[in-house]
Structures are given as structure tokens and as C-alpha cells.
Amino acid sequence: MDGRIAKRLLLAGVVVTGLATIPCSLFARQAGPSPATPWDRTSAARALTGVDIEPVVDQLHQLTVTGADSLLMESLESVRLRPDWPEPARDLAILQYTRTLSMLPADSVPPTVVAYLRAYPTMTLVPHEDHPQGQVPLFNVRAAAAGLEHQWLREEALLEGQALLRSNPRGLADAFTIEDEPAVHAGYLQALEQATRQELMSLSADTRSRVRTTPRLTPLAGRAALLVQDLPTLEAAVLHGEGDAVHRLLRDAASMLSRDDRLGLLENTLGSAHRDNASLAIATLY
């Protein structure tokens, strides 16, 4: 998938409904891209009674596993437009199918399917629980698809981070600095939790001076330092870090360091750290 999840939608030209295969364009003229229908949660739950979506979800999943890409796209659109199911059942079936994809590697799911799910036009809207005048999807397929992409990016970054820690810790710091995707940062940080002490020491030593001029390294440098109790690098991260990353680092340090080390870190940062960082250190470490 070119290392990142594709986001383009290419719909197939036919829809399969039961034993009949009809042109998608003809079906669209009959049913139309139905606008989302307002429901209340009680009536939507009632509409689901007696509708067995599990066999359809299982069939969609099997089509994915076997690589029947064209038939899978056709079947997804067939479920969305299925006239004998109420809208909540259609949306729930697509949502449940989306959730099954979390068990599969990213490269086993066609990019067209991911894009379809990211652009899925929800059929069932219900009042927002806190703001009833607003309408929200009852079964949010788009959000589930976005979470799926986040998971795959994080898993890919975890493997990349582990490989870099073994062969080139400095390369991991470079990649963390360049990358903007939060899911990738999360994967790199997860790799630290599974690293050897020697790998962490190498990374911590490399980032000790770099974090002074590259504050965005704070999460990586600080976490590596904390895991091996490298206090000089931890101090540098607190002194030169920025934003929420410093707060999270100090919170973790408060729970992982001994009292003496916490007070030593606090003493060393009070006179040199940015005023906001110093205030955070007092509030968190004292």
C-alpha cells in the first residue's frame, strides 16, 4: 500500500443483490444516494430487531481474505442500498465489517475498500446526546475507518522503529523529527517499550544534545531516557522541550523516578528551564 493507506475511491460498476446482478447506475436511479434519515435511538434499536447481519458481515470479511476485490466492492454497495433492510441495519453491518479489518494486515485490504469506508455516506442520524438539535451518525463508519488507518500506521511504524533501534538509533531520531503523523509517532514510541537497554542507551545518548535544538524530539528522547534512568538526557528534554510533551514527560517521571531523582531533576530545571516548564516541574515533581 506504498507504505501508507491509499485514500482514493473507485467504485465497481455492478451491484449484486441476492442472485441478481444489475448495473450500479440503474440501481442508483431507482434508490438514489439516499440522504441520511433522522432516527431516534429507540426506534433505530427497534428496527434492528429480527435483522441478522452476521452472515453478511462474515461474507464481506471472507471476500476480503480471499482477495475478491471487485466482488467485495459490489457487495459493500449492495449492503448500503439493500431495500429489505432498514437503514440502521445497513450501517451497522458495514460498521461491523470495518471492525473485522483490524485483525488483518493493511496490505491485505484493498485501498479502494479503505477509501470507500472513509467516504461512507451514513444512512442513520440520531440527535446528539448533549446537543439534541444536532444530528450525528448512529453507526460511524467513517470514524471506524479512520481508526483502522491509525492502527495500521502505528503498527507499521512500530516495526520500522524496532528495526531502526537495532541498526541505527540515530535514524529513528531523524525519522521522528521529520514525521508529522501522530500515529507514526505513537508507533515509534511503542517501539521503545520493547527495546533492549543497550538500544535505549544509544538512543538516549544520541538525543541528549539534539533535543536542545530540536524540541520536537522531546517525547522520544525523554521516554528513552526515562526507561533507562538517564537523568542528563531527561533533564535536557525538560529544559528544552515544548508544550504538552513536557507535561506528559514530567507526569511519567513523577511515577517512575525515585524521590531523590525527582527532587534532583526539579532542582536542576528550576533555574534553567523555560518559565512554563519550571512551573510544570514544580507542580508535577514536588
Side-chain angles (χ1 to χ4, degrees), residues 138-161:
L138 178 59
F139 302 113
N140 199 332
V141 174
R142 293 186 182 187
L148 189 63
E149 289 185 301
H150 187 283
Q151 172 192 319
W152 284 335
L153 287 173
R154 187 181 70 248
E155 291 172 349
E156 180 183 343
L158 167 62
L159 297 177
E160 180 185 349

